Short mmCIF file of all heavy atoms in Angstrom, two decimals:
data_model
loop_
_atom_site.label_atom_id
_atom_site.label_comp_id
_atom_site.label_asym_id
_atom_site.label_seq_id
_atom_site.Cartn_x
_atom_site.Cartn_y
_atom_site.Cartn_z
N MET A 1 142.90 172.12 211.80
CA MET A 1 142.59 172.23 213.16
C MET A 1 143.34 171.15 213.98
O MET A 1 143.90 171.45 214.97
CB MET A 1 141.10 172.13 213.37
CG MET A 1 140.65 172.16 214.83
SD MET A 1 140.91 173.77 215.54
CE MET A 1 140.18 173.57 217.14
N PHE A 2 143.22 169.87 213.58
CA PHE A 2 143.88 168.78 214.26
C PHE A 2 145.38 168.90 214.21
O PHE A 2 146.06 168.57 215.13
CB PHE A 2 143.45 167.42 213.75
CG PHE A 2 142.03 167.08 214.03
CD1 PHE A 2 141.07 166.98 213.07
CD2 PHE A 2 141.63 166.87 215.32
CE1 PHE A 2 139.73 166.65 213.33
CE2 PHE A 2 140.34 166.56 215.66
CZ PHE A 2 139.36 166.41 214.63
N LEU A 3 145.89 169.44 213.11
CA LEU A 3 147.35 169.67 212.92
C LEU A 3 147.79 170.63 213.99
O LEU A 3 148.91 170.42 214.63
CB LEU A 3 147.66 170.17 211.52
CG LEU A 3 149.14 170.47 211.31
CD1 LEU A 3 150.02 169.23 211.43
CD2 LEU A 3 149.32 171.05 209.89
N ILE A 4 147.12 171.72 214.19
CA ILE A 4 147.49 172.73 215.21
C ILE A 4 147.43 172.16 216.57
O ILE A 4 148.37 172.42 217.37
CB ILE A 4 146.57 174.00 215.07
CG1 ILE A 4 146.80 174.65 213.70
CG2 ILE A 4 146.84 174.98 216.20
CD1 ILE A 4 145.80 175.71 213.32
N VAL A 5 146.47 171.43 216.89
CA VAL A 5 146.35 170.81 218.25
C VAL A 5 147.48 169.81 218.40
O VAL A 5 148.10 169.76 219.50
CB VAL A 5 144.96 170.12 218.39
CG1 VAL A 5 144.93 169.34 219.70
CG2 VAL A 5 143.87 171.16 218.38
N GLY A 6 147.73 168.99 217.43
CA GLY A 6 148.86 168.03 217.55
C GLY A 6 150.19 168.73 217.74
O GLY A 6 150.97 168.30 218.54
N LEU A 7 150.48 169.79 216.97
CA LEU A 7 151.75 170.49 217.09
C LEU A 7 151.82 171.21 218.48
O LEU A 7 152.95 171.16 219.09
CB LEU A 7 151.89 171.51 215.94
CG LEU A 7 152.10 170.92 214.54
CD1 LEU A 7 152.09 172.05 213.55
CD2 LEU A 7 153.37 170.14 214.49
N ALA A 8 150.76 171.75 218.89
CA ALA A 8 150.79 172.42 220.24
C ALA A 8 151.04 171.37 221.33
O ALA A 8 151.86 171.68 222.27
CB ALA A 8 149.49 173.16 220.44
N THR A 9 150.39 170.27 221.21
CA THR A 9 150.59 169.23 222.25
C THR A 9 152.03 168.71 222.21
O THR A 9 152.62 168.45 223.28
CB THR A 9 149.63 167.99 221.98
OG1 THR A 9 148.30 168.51 221.94
CG2 THR A 9 149.73 166.95 223.04
N SER A 10 152.57 168.50 221.14
CA SER A 10 153.99 168.05 220.97
C SER A 10 154.90 169.07 221.50
O SER A 10 155.92 168.78 222.21
CB SER A 10 154.31 167.79 219.50
OG SER A 10 153.52 166.76 219.02
N ALA A 11 154.66 170.39 221.25
CA ALA A 11 155.56 171.45 221.75
C ALA A 11 155.52 171.54 223.26
O ALA A 11 156.54 171.84 223.87
CB ALA A 11 155.13 172.76 221.14
N VAL A 12 154.40 171.25 223.92
CA VAL A 12 154.23 171.31 225.36
C VAL A 12 154.80 170.00 225.96
O VAL A 12 155.42 170.01 226.97
CB VAL A 12 152.81 171.56 225.76
CG1 VAL A 12 152.60 171.43 227.26
CG2 VAL A 12 152.36 172.96 225.35
N GLY A 13 154.54 168.89 225.32
CA GLY A 13 154.87 167.60 225.92
C GLY A 13 156.34 167.27 225.89
O GLY A 13 156.84 166.60 226.83
N LEU A 14 157.09 167.73 224.94
CA LEU A 14 158.50 167.43 224.86
C LEU A 14 159.31 167.93 226.03
O LEU A 14 160.03 167.19 226.69
CB LEU A 14 159.07 167.91 223.49
CG LEU A 14 160.53 167.48 223.27
CD1 LEU A 14 160.66 165.94 223.22
CD2 LEU A 14 160.96 168.10 221.89
N PRO A 15 159.21 169.25 226.42
CA PRO A 15 159.95 169.68 227.63
C PRO A 15 159.52 169.02 228.90
O PRO A 15 160.29 168.78 229.78
CB PRO A 15 159.63 171.21 227.65
CG PRO A 15 159.16 171.56 226.28
CD PRO A 15 158.56 170.33 225.77
N VAL A 16 158.26 168.74 229.02
CA VAL A 16 157.74 168.02 230.20
C VAL A 16 158.31 166.62 230.28
O VAL A 16 158.79 166.21 231.39
CB VAL A 16 156.20 167.98 230.19
CG1 VAL A 16 155.65 167.04 231.29
CG2 VAL A 16 155.59 169.30 230.25
N LYS A 17 158.42 165.93 229.15
CA LYS A 17 158.99 164.62 229.15
C LYS A 17 160.52 164.63 229.50
O LYS A 17 161.00 163.88 230.34
CB LYS A 17 158.84 163.92 227.78
CG LYS A 17 159.42 162.50 227.72
CD LYS A 17 159.19 161.94 226.35
CE LYS A 17 159.71 160.53 226.16
NZ LYS A 17 160.58 159.96 227.14
N LEU A 18 161.24 165.55 228.91
CA LEU A 18 162.67 165.67 229.18
C LEU A 18 162.93 166.07 230.65
O LEU A 18 163.86 165.54 231.26
CB LEU A 18 163.30 166.66 228.24
CG LEU A 18 163.30 166.24 226.72
CD1 LEU A 18 163.85 167.36 225.87
CD2 LEU A 18 164.06 164.94 226.51
N GLY A 19 162.16 167.03 231.15
CA GLY A 19 162.33 167.45 232.52
C GLY A 19 161.91 166.37 233.49
O GLY A 19 162.60 166.16 234.58
N GLY A 20 160.94 165.57 233.17
CA GLY A 20 160.44 164.53 234.06
C GLY A 20 161.49 163.43 234.17
O GLY A 20 161.75 162.86 235.23
N THR A 21 162.17 163.12 233.01
CA THR A 21 163.17 162.04 233.03
C THR A 21 164.33 162.42 233.92
O THR A 21 164.91 161.64 234.66
CB THR A 21 163.66 161.74 231.61
OG1 THR A 21 162.52 161.38 230.83
CG2 THR A 21 164.67 160.63 231.58
N LYS A 22 164.74 163.70 233.85
CA LYS A 22 165.85 164.21 234.68
C LYS A 22 165.51 164.10 236.15
O LYS A 22 166.34 163.70 236.95
CB LYS A 22 166.14 165.62 234.26
CG LYS A 22 167.34 166.22 235.02
CD LYS A 22 167.65 167.60 234.55
CE LYS A 22 168.83 168.23 235.29
NZ LYS A 22 169.08 169.57 234.96
N LYS A 23 164.28 164.47 236.56
CA LYS A 23 163.84 164.41 237.90
C LYS A 23 163.74 163.03 238.42
O LYS A 23 164.12 162.76 239.58
CB LYS A 23 162.49 165.12 238.09
CG LYS A 23 162.55 166.63 237.92
CD LYS A 23 161.16 167.25 238.11
CE LYS A 23 161.29 168.71 237.94
NZ LYS A 23 159.96 169.35 238.16
N ILE A 24 163.33 162.08 237.55
CA ILE A 24 163.26 160.67 238.02
C ILE A 24 164.69 160.13 238.26
O ILE A 24 164.97 159.48 239.29
CB ILE A 24 162.65 159.77 236.89
CG1 ILE A 24 161.11 160.07 236.84
CG2 ILE A 24 162.85 158.30 237.16
CD1 ILE A 24 160.44 159.42 235.65
N LYS A 25 165.65 160.51 237.42
CA LYS A 25 167.05 159.98 237.56
C LYS A 25 167.60 160.63 238.85
O LYS A 25 168.34 159.98 239.61
CB LYS A 25 167.90 160.38 236.37
CG LYS A 25 167.59 159.49 235.18
CD LYS A 25 168.45 159.87 234.03
CE LYS A 25 168.14 159.00 232.80
NZ LYS A 25 168.98 159.35 231.65
N THR A 26 167.29 161.91 239.07
CA THR A 26 167.79 162.58 240.29
C THR A 26 167.27 161.93 241.58
O THR A 26 167.91 161.65 242.51
CB THR A 26 167.41 164.01 240.28
OG1 THR A 26 167.94 164.66 239.12
CG2 THR A 26 167.97 164.76 241.54
N ALA A 27 165.99 161.55 241.51
CA ALA A 27 165.32 160.90 242.65
C ALA A 27 165.94 159.52 242.91
O ALA A 27 166.21 159.17 244.07
CB ALA A 27 163.84 160.81 242.45
N ILE A 28 166.23 158.80 241.85
CA ILE A 28 166.82 157.45 242.01
C ILE A 28 168.18 157.56 242.59
O ILE A 28 168.58 156.78 243.47
CB ILE A 28 166.84 156.73 240.69
CG1 ILE A 28 165.40 156.35 240.28
CG2 ILE A 28 167.70 155.46 240.73
CD1 ILE A 28 165.29 155.81 238.87
N ASN A 29 169.00 158.54 242.11
CA ASN A 29 170.35 158.74 242.65
C ASN A 29 170.33 159.16 244.13
O ASN A 29 171.17 158.66 244.92
CB ASN A 29 171.11 159.82 241.82
CG ASN A 29 171.51 159.24 240.47
OD1 ASN A 29 171.68 158.06 240.31
ND2 ASN A 29 171.67 160.14 239.51
N GLN A 30 169.34 159.99 244.53
CA GLN A 30 169.28 160.36 245.92
C GLN A 30 168.87 159.14 246.79
O GLN A 30 169.39 158.96 247.89
CB GLN A 30 168.19 161.49 246.09
CG GLN A 30 168.68 162.79 245.56
CD GLN A 30 167.60 163.91 245.61
OE1 GLN A 30 166.43 163.58 245.90
NE2 GLN A 30 167.97 165.08 245.26
N TYR A 31 167.98 158.36 246.26
CA TYR A 31 167.60 157.16 247.02
C TYR A 31 168.79 156.20 247.15
O TYR A 31 169.01 155.68 248.26
CB TYR A 31 166.48 156.42 246.24
CG TYR A 31 166.04 155.12 246.90
CD1 TYR A 31 165.22 155.10 248.02
CD2 TYR A 31 166.47 153.90 246.38
CE1 TYR A 31 164.83 153.88 248.65
CE2 TYR A 31 166.12 152.70 246.98
CZ TYR A 31 165.29 152.71 248.10
OH TYR A 31 164.91 151.51 248.64
N ASN A 32 169.60 156.02 246.11
CA ASN A 32 170.75 155.12 246.20
C ASN A 32 171.81 155.66 247.12
O ASN A 32 172.50 154.93 247.78
CB ASN A 32 171.30 154.88 244.81
CG ASN A 32 170.43 153.89 244.03
OD1 ASN A 32 169.71 153.10 244.59
ND2 ASN A 32 170.50 154.02 242.71
N GLN A 33 171.92 157.02 247.26
CA GLN A 33 172.86 157.59 248.16
C GLN A 33 172.50 157.34 249.62
O GLN A 33 173.32 157.19 250.47
CB GLN A 33 173.04 159.10 247.92
CG GLN A 33 173.75 159.45 246.65
CD GLN A 33 173.80 160.90 246.37
OE1 GLN A 33 173.14 161.68 247.01
NE2 GLN A 33 174.51 161.30 245.32
N ILE A 34 171.19 157.32 249.87
CA ILE A 34 170.73 157.04 251.23
C ILE A 34 171.12 155.63 251.57
O ILE A 34 171.50 155.31 252.71
CB ILE A 34 169.18 157.20 251.34
CG1 ILE A 34 168.79 158.69 251.21
CG2 ILE A 34 168.66 156.67 252.59
CD1 ILE A 34 167.36 158.92 251.07
N LEU A 35 171.11 154.73 250.60
CA LEU A 35 171.45 153.32 250.83
C LEU A 35 172.89 153.08 251.01
O LEU A 35 173.34 152.03 251.45
CB LEU A 35 170.97 152.45 249.71
CG LEU A 35 169.47 152.45 249.53
CD1 LEU A 35 169.08 151.63 248.34
CD2 LEU A 35 168.76 151.91 250.77
N ASP A 36 173.81 154.06 250.75
CA ASP A 36 175.18 153.92 250.91
C ASP A 36 175.69 153.88 252.42
O ASP A 36 176.78 153.57 252.70
CB ASP A 36 175.95 155.03 250.20
CG ASP A 36 175.97 154.88 248.71
OD1 ASP A 36 175.74 153.71 248.27
OD2 ASP A 36 176.22 155.88 248.04
N LYS A 37 174.74 154.16 253.31
CA LYS A 37 175.02 154.05 254.75
C LYS A 37 175.32 152.65 255.07
O LYS A 37 174.98 151.66 254.36
CB LYS A 37 173.88 154.63 255.54
CG LYS A 37 173.73 156.15 255.30
CD LYS A 37 172.52 156.61 256.15
CE LYS A 37 172.30 158.10 255.87
NZ LYS A 37 171.15 158.61 256.59
N LYS A 38 175.93 152.42 256.23
CA LYS A 38 176.28 151.07 256.67
C LYS A 38 175.04 150.16 256.75
O LYS A 38 174.03 150.53 257.39
CB LYS A 38 176.92 151.19 258.06
CG LYS A 38 177.62 149.91 258.48
CD LYS A 38 178.89 149.73 257.67
CE LYS A 38 179.73 148.67 258.37
NZ LYS A 38 180.86 148.31 257.53
N VAL A 39 175.13 149.02 256.16
CA VAL A 39 174.02 148.06 256.11
C VAL A 39 174.39 146.84 256.96
O VAL A 39 175.56 146.34 256.88
CB VAL A 39 173.69 147.63 254.65
CG1 VAL A 39 172.58 146.63 254.59
CG2 VAL A 39 173.33 148.83 253.81
N THR A 40 173.48 146.35 257.76
CA THR A 40 173.77 145.30 258.69
C THR A 40 173.51 143.89 258.12
O THR A 40 173.79 142.89 258.72
CB THR A 40 172.97 145.45 259.97
OG1 THR A 40 171.57 145.48 259.62
CG2 THR A 40 173.33 146.74 260.70
N TYR A 41 172.92 143.82 256.95
CA TYR A 41 172.62 142.50 256.37
C TYR A 41 173.47 142.32 255.14
O TYR A 41 174.15 143.20 254.65
CB TYR A 41 171.11 142.30 256.11
CG TYR A 41 170.51 143.45 255.34
CD1 TYR A 41 170.45 143.34 253.91
CD2 TYR A 41 169.94 144.55 255.90
CE1 TYR A 41 169.86 144.38 253.16
CE2 TYR A 41 169.39 145.51 255.20
CZ TYR A 41 169.35 145.46 253.85
OH TYR A 41 168.77 146.42 253.14
N PHE A 42 173.41 141.13 254.56
CA PHE A 42 174.37 140.74 253.45
C PHE A 42 174.18 141.58 252.21
O PHE A 42 175.22 142.06 251.66
CB PHE A 42 174.14 139.21 253.15
CG PHE A 42 175.09 138.72 252.15
CD1 PHE A 42 176.43 138.57 252.41
CD2 PHE A 42 174.60 138.40 250.86
CE1 PHE A 42 177.30 138.11 251.41
CE2 PHE A 42 175.47 137.96 249.89
CZ PHE A 42 176.80 137.78 250.15
N GLN A 43 173.03 141.75 251.72
CA GLN A 43 172.75 142.50 250.49
C GLN A 43 172.12 143.83 250.81
O GLN A 43 171.26 143.94 251.66
CB GLN A 43 171.95 141.75 249.50
CG GLN A 43 172.62 140.47 249.05
CD GLN A 43 171.73 139.69 248.11
OE1 GLN A 43 170.49 139.93 248.07
NE2 GLN A 43 172.26 138.69 247.41
N LYS A 44 172.44 144.84 249.99
CA LYS A 44 171.71 146.09 250.15
C LYS A 44 170.80 146.37 248.99
O LYS A 44 171.11 145.97 247.83
CB LYS A 44 172.75 147.32 250.28
CG LYS A 44 173.54 147.56 249.08
CD LYS A 44 174.40 148.79 249.25
CE LYS A 44 175.07 149.15 247.90
NZ LYS A 44 175.88 150.35 248.06
N PRO A 45 169.62 146.92 249.22
CA PRO A 45 168.70 147.16 248.09
C PRO A 45 169.22 148.27 247.14
O PRO A 45 169.98 149.18 247.60
CB PRO A 45 167.40 147.60 248.74
CG PRO A 45 167.75 148.01 250.12
CD PRO A 45 169.06 147.27 250.50
N GLU A 46 168.86 148.18 245.91
CA GLU A 46 169.32 149.18 244.93
C GLU A 46 168.17 149.41 243.92
O GLU A 46 167.53 148.46 243.42
CB GLU A 46 170.53 148.63 244.18
CG GLU A 46 171.11 149.55 243.21
CD GLU A 46 172.39 149.00 242.55
OE1 GLU A 46 172.82 147.91 242.97
OE2 GLU A 46 172.93 149.66 241.65
N LEU A 47 167.89 150.67 243.63
CA LEU A 47 166.85 151.04 242.70
C LEU A 47 167.47 151.66 241.47
O LEU A 47 168.26 152.49 241.53
CB LEU A 47 165.89 152.07 243.40
CG LEU A 47 164.72 152.57 242.54
CD1 LEU A 47 163.82 151.46 242.24
CD2 LEU A 47 164.01 153.71 243.20
N LYS A 48 167.11 151.11 240.29
CA LYS A 48 167.63 151.61 239.02
C LYS A 48 166.56 151.87 238.06
O LYS A 48 165.44 151.25 238.08
CB LYS A 48 168.56 150.49 238.40
CG LYS A 48 169.85 150.29 239.14
CD LYS A 48 170.71 149.30 238.34
CE LYS A 48 172.01 149.06 239.04
NZ LYS A 48 172.87 148.18 238.32
N LEU A 49 166.79 152.77 237.09
CA LEU A 49 165.91 153.04 235.98
C LEU A 49 166.38 152.23 234.80
O LEU A 49 167.56 152.37 234.41
CB LEU A 49 165.92 154.55 235.67
CG LEU A 49 165.01 154.98 234.47
CD1 LEU A 49 163.59 154.79 234.87
CD2 LEU A 49 165.27 156.44 234.19
N ILE A 50 165.56 151.41 234.27
CA ILE A 50 165.88 150.47 233.17
C ILE A 50 165.12 150.87 231.91
O ILE A 50 163.97 151.11 231.94
CB ILE A 50 165.49 149.06 233.58
CG1 ILE A 50 166.17 148.63 234.90
CG2 ILE A 50 165.91 148.07 232.48
CD1 ILE A 50 167.66 148.57 234.85
N THR A 51 165.92 150.90 230.81
CA THR A 51 165.32 151.10 229.50
C THR A 51 165.77 149.97 228.56
O THR A 51 166.91 149.63 228.60
CB THR A 51 165.66 152.45 228.88
OG1 THR A 51 167.05 152.52 228.78
CG2 THR A 51 165.19 153.61 229.76
N ASN A 52 164.88 149.49 227.79
CA ASN A 52 165.21 148.49 226.81
C ASN A 52 164.18 148.60 225.64
O ASN A 52 163.37 149.47 225.58
CB ASN A 52 165.25 147.07 227.39
CG ASN A 52 163.97 146.65 227.98
OD1 ASN A 52 162.92 147.16 227.69
ND2 ASN A 52 164.02 145.67 228.90
N THR A 53 164.14 147.61 224.77
CA THR A 53 163.24 147.65 223.63
C THR A 53 161.79 147.49 224.03
O THR A 53 160.90 147.84 223.28
CB THR A 53 163.56 146.52 222.61
OG1 THR A 53 163.56 145.24 223.30
CG2 THR A 53 164.96 146.69 222.01
N ASN A 54 161.55 147.00 225.25
CA ASN A 54 160.14 146.85 225.68
C ASN A 54 159.64 148.13 226.37
O ASN A 54 158.44 148.20 226.59
CB ASN A 54 160.03 145.70 226.71
CG ASN A 54 160.36 144.40 226.05
OD1 ASN A 54 160.05 144.18 224.87
ND2 ASN A 54 160.96 143.50 226.78
N GLY A 55 160.49 149.07 226.68
CA GLY A 55 160.04 150.30 227.32
C GLY A 55 160.94 150.79 228.43
O GLY A 55 162.09 150.50 228.46
N LEU A 56 160.30 151.38 229.44
CA LEU A 56 160.95 152.07 230.53
C LEU A 56 160.44 151.47 231.78
O LEU A 56 159.22 151.17 231.92
CB LEU A 56 160.64 153.59 230.48
CG LEU A 56 161.16 154.49 231.54
CD1 LEU A 56 162.68 154.70 231.34
CD2 LEU A 56 160.49 155.80 231.49
N GLY A 57 161.29 151.30 232.77
CA GLY A 57 160.83 150.69 234.03
C GLY A 57 161.81 150.87 235.13
O GLY A 57 162.92 151.39 234.97
N PHE A 58 161.42 150.43 236.33
CA PHE A 58 162.27 150.53 237.51
C PHE A 58 162.69 149.10 237.91
O PHE A 58 161.91 148.13 237.74
CB PHE A 58 161.52 151.15 238.70
CG PHE A 58 161.24 152.56 238.57
CD1 PHE A 58 159.97 153.03 238.22
CD2 PHE A 58 162.25 153.48 238.74
CE1 PHE A 58 159.74 154.36 238.07
CE2 PHE A 58 162.00 154.88 238.58
CZ PHE A 58 160.73 155.28 238.25
N GLN A 59 163.90 149.00 238.41
CA GLN A 59 164.36 147.73 238.94
C GLN A 59 164.79 147.85 240.37
O GLN A 59 165.62 148.77 240.66
CB GLN A 59 165.56 147.21 238.07
CG GLN A 59 166.15 145.93 238.60
CD GLN A 59 167.42 145.53 237.81
OE1 GLN A 59 168.13 146.42 237.38
NE2 GLN A 59 167.64 144.26 237.65
N LEU A 60 164.20 147.13 241.28
CA LEU A 60 164.54 147.20 242.70
C LEU A 60 165.13 145.83 242.99
O LEU A 60 164.48 144.80 242.88
CB LEU A 60 163.30 147.44 243.53
CG LEU A 60 163.50 147.51 245.05
CD1 LEU A 60 164.49 148.59 245.39
CD2 LEU A 60 162.22 147.74 245.75
N ARG A 61 166.46 145.88 243.34
CA ARG A 61 167.14 144.64 243.72
C ARG A 61 167.43 144.67 245.17
O ARG A 61 167.87 145.63 245.75
CB ARG A 61 168.41 144.54 242.95
CG ARG A 61 168.24 144.46 241.39
CD ARG A 61 169.53 144.57 240.69
NE ARG A 61 170.29 143.34 240.96
CZ ARG A 61 171.43 143.07 240.41
NH1 ARG A 61 171.95 143.92 239.57
NH2 ARG A 61 172.04 142.00 240.70
N PHE A 62 167.13 143.50 245.84
CA PHE A 62 167.45 143.35 247.22
C PHE A 62 167.72 141.92 247.62
O PHE A 62 167.86 141.09 246.82
CB PHE A 62 166.36 143.95 248.17
CG PHE A 62 165.01 143.48 247.89
CD1 PHE A 62 164.30 142.68 248.69
CD2 PHE A 62 164.30 143.95 246.77
CE1 PHE A 62 163.04 142.26 248.48
CE2 PHE A 62 162.97 143.59 246.49
CZ PHE A 62 162.35 142.73 247.36
#
């Protein structure tokens, strides 16, 4: 019983995870394109998706 539940959860979760990652990257790229407009101050903010051995996260630099 637990094996079936685990396999079903994995089968549903994998496409959701892959699709979600793609949507996150698309959203970040759209945000960064908005920032490509003329900026009046010295530095412009930038949002990035960061992955490393500790996990997944966002980096906002300004």
Side-chain angles (χ1 to χ4, degrees):
M1 176 70 176
F2 290 114
L3 178 63
I4 295 170
V5 172
L7 291 175
T9 304
S10 297
V12 171
L14 188 60
V16 170
K17 180 179 178 355
L18 295 175
T21 303
K22 183 178 178 184
K23 288 181 182 181
I24 289 172
K25 287 181 182 180
T26 302
I28 291 172
N29 287 334
Q30 289 175 352
Y31 177 79
N32 286 335
Q33 286 175 355
I34 291 171
L35 296 177
D36 286 340
K37 295 179 182 177
K38 195 72 168 171
V39 179
T40 58
Y41 51 91
F42 182 71
Q43 295 178 346
K44 66 176 186 176
E46 185 177 354
L47 181 65
K48 291 185 178 182
L49 179 65
I50 303 294
T51 59
N52 61 20
T53 57
N54 294 327
L56 179 74
F58 291 104
Q59 177 185 32
L60 180 60
R61 296 175 68 176
F62 50 110

